[in-house]
Every structure is written in structure tokens, then in C-alpha cells.
Amino acid sequence: DGGITQSPKYLFRKEGQNVTLSCEQNLNHDAMYWYRQDPGQGLRLIYYSQIVNDFQKGDIAEGYSVSREKKESFPLTVTSAQKNPTAFYLCASSMTANYGYTFGSGTRLTVV
Amino acid sequence: SQKIEQNSEALNIQEGKTATLTCNYTNYSPAYLQWYRQDPGRGPVFLLLIRENEKEKRKERLKVTFDTTLKQSLFHITASQPADSATYLCAGGATNKLIFGTGTLLAVQP
């Protein structure tokens, strides 16, 4: 079955540590995205990539980094520079930007 | 800034009635709008896409409209069921990305 897999589902980290969230898709989609969701707020775009080896900052990129070395994979690193990293992180992919997105099941990151 | 606005108040309706959710956009003109369903603790699931040159789109019990004069999209679920209870997200197309609204929680009472 084609889909998009995020791991882990829950992640706990100490303040000041970097952490990497995994996102893998087998849909052969060119475009991939990372969103952050906080209670009472819409999904906010962190980074997106339209093609391998290329990515662009979204609206809230500060304190985050990504890579896109393979079409299937788009990992997100939450660095210690991110002021408020506790949130629900969603990865998505699409054929192109104007098609419906397929989302993963999310990673809930808690920083203590 | 470009915005997608949805009613933050929950919508409570009786089973069998039609649910209507509203999405307004400001400070830009999206070429298309998308609607997603999100259940608690899960990722959103794509439901429908409507382009600016389309007035209406249907899929089974779902119908979505796009009014460029009112800068609004309406999302209808006919013959609603308790299983339709979820948060529904509207998203507008921008350059190479989507802008999401905060979502509207729909609760269908049996």
C-alpha cells in the first residue's frame, strides 16, 4: 500500500537537544512538506521541497532544518534554537503543489 | 498577510441534517481551495479540491462551492451521520504551497 510514514509517533526530548523527525513516502510524489500544528492554530508551514536536493523555507522555518537527498525521504531536525518546539508535527506529500496532499499520522514532540 | 478563515465555534447538528461549513479567504485570490478531514491525534485526510473556475464540486454526500465574489467556499455534508464528526480544514492554494485555516469542529448528534 502506498502511503507516508512518520516516526516516531511520540518523542520526548530534553531542552537544548536537537531531534530529528522521520518522514518517508512511497507514493512517488515530487513535493514534500512539513507543517506544525498547535492547539487553536491552523497548520503552519515549516519547510517544503518540490524536488530532490532542493527545499524552501516556509512561514516558520527558524530553529528547524531539513534535507532532501532522496525522493522518498524528507527528515526534519528541530534544533535547540527553536524557542517553543513542543507541538504536533505533520509531514505531507503531493504530486505537485496543486493536488491534494497526503499526510502522515504525525509526530507529537514534547520538550521537557 | 494571506489568510484562510474558518468559524472557530463548533457546529452541532442532528443526524440526517445537512452540515454547512464556511471558509473565507483574505488578502489573496487562491487558484483553488481544498477541504480536509482531521480526527483527533491524526493527520488530515484530503476530501475535495475545487478550482476558481468551478462553481461547485460533488463527491458522494459532500458538496463544495467556490464564490470568488464573496471570497468564500462552502462545504456541505448531506444526510450527516455521527461518523462524520471531526474537524474540517479548508486550505487555499498559494505559490507552491497551501495556507490552512484553523478548522471547524463538527459534532453530529444521534
Side-chain angles (χ1 to χ4, degrees):
Chain A
D1 285 338
I4 186 164
T5 302
Q6 289 186 246
S7 62
K9 190 170 179 64
Y10 298 97
L11 190 54
F12 295 87
R13 278 296 180 267
K14 290 186 178 179
E15 202 170 315
Q17 289 182 333
N18 291 357
V19 62
T20 297
L21 282 58
S22 171
C23 178
E24 303 277 332
Q25 54 102 355
N26 61 3
L27 299 164
N28 200 32
H29 286 169
D30 285 315
M32 296 188 75
Y33 312 84
W34 274 105
Y35 284 88
R36 168 180 173 145
Q37 189 173 36
D38 297 280
Q41 297 201 41
L43 276 68
R44 293 184 290 166
L45 183 63
I46 304 172
Y47 268 97
Y48 64 102
S49 167
Q50 293 178 273
I51 199 166
V52 176
N53 292 322
D54 187 46
F55 49 83
Q56 287 78 40
K57 292 182 179 180
D59 302 313
I60 56 165
E62 186 175 347
Y64 299 96
S65 66
V66 293
S67 62
R68 186 88 187 274
E69 296 176 2
K70 297 186 300 181
K71 188 175 186 176
E72 302 79 21
S73 180
F74 192 40
L76 173 74
T77 296
V78 184
T79 75
S80 56
Q82 168 49 232
K83 297 280 187 276
N84 186 18
T86 294
F88 187 48
Y89 290 87
L90 287 160
C91 179
S93 70
S94 69
M95 279 200 295
T96 62
N98 60 351
Y99 278 81
Y101 288 10
T102 300
F103 280 87
S105 55
T107 292
R108 189 166 298 280
L109 172 65
T110 302
V111 175
V112 295
Chain B
S1 61
Q2 300 169 330
K3 280 188 179 178
I4 296 289
E5 294 172 316
Q6 297 182 255
N7 192 344
S8 58
E9 288 185 19
L11 178 63
N12 291 286
I13 63 167
Q14 287 295 121
E15 183 175 6
K17 301 292 186 184
T18 296
T20 299
L21 284 67
T22 304
C23 171
N24 295 288
Y25 55 90
T26 57
N27 298 326
Y28 85 122
S29 298
Y32 55 91
L33 290 164
Q34 300 185 12
W35 284 88
Y36 291 79
R37 170 185 172 139
Q38 187 175 25
D39 291 288
R42 309 289 296 272
V45 174
F46 172 71
L47 297 174
L48 281 168
L49 179 152
I50 184 166
R51 302 186 191 281
E52 61 179 341
N53 61 348
E54 297 174 315
K55 296 288 186 205
E56 181 180 296
K57 206 102 175 259
R58 291 175 186 262
K59 179 183 174 183
E60 298 173 351
R61 293 185 296 113
L62 308 180
K63 184 178 87 171
V64 63
T65 62
F66 196 157
D67 189 326
T68 54
T69 302
L70 294 178
K71 297 190 174 185
Q72 182 179 85
S73 175
L74 297 179
F75 177 81
H76 307 272
I77 305 176
T78 58
S80 59
Q81 305 164 1
D84 295 325
S85 298
T87 296
Y88 290 86
L89 306 176
C90 175
T95 305
N96 297 321
K97 63 182 181 181
L98 284 179
I99 298 171
F100 282 84
T102 54
T104 299
L105 176 63
L106 172 66
V108 181
Q109 310 297 332

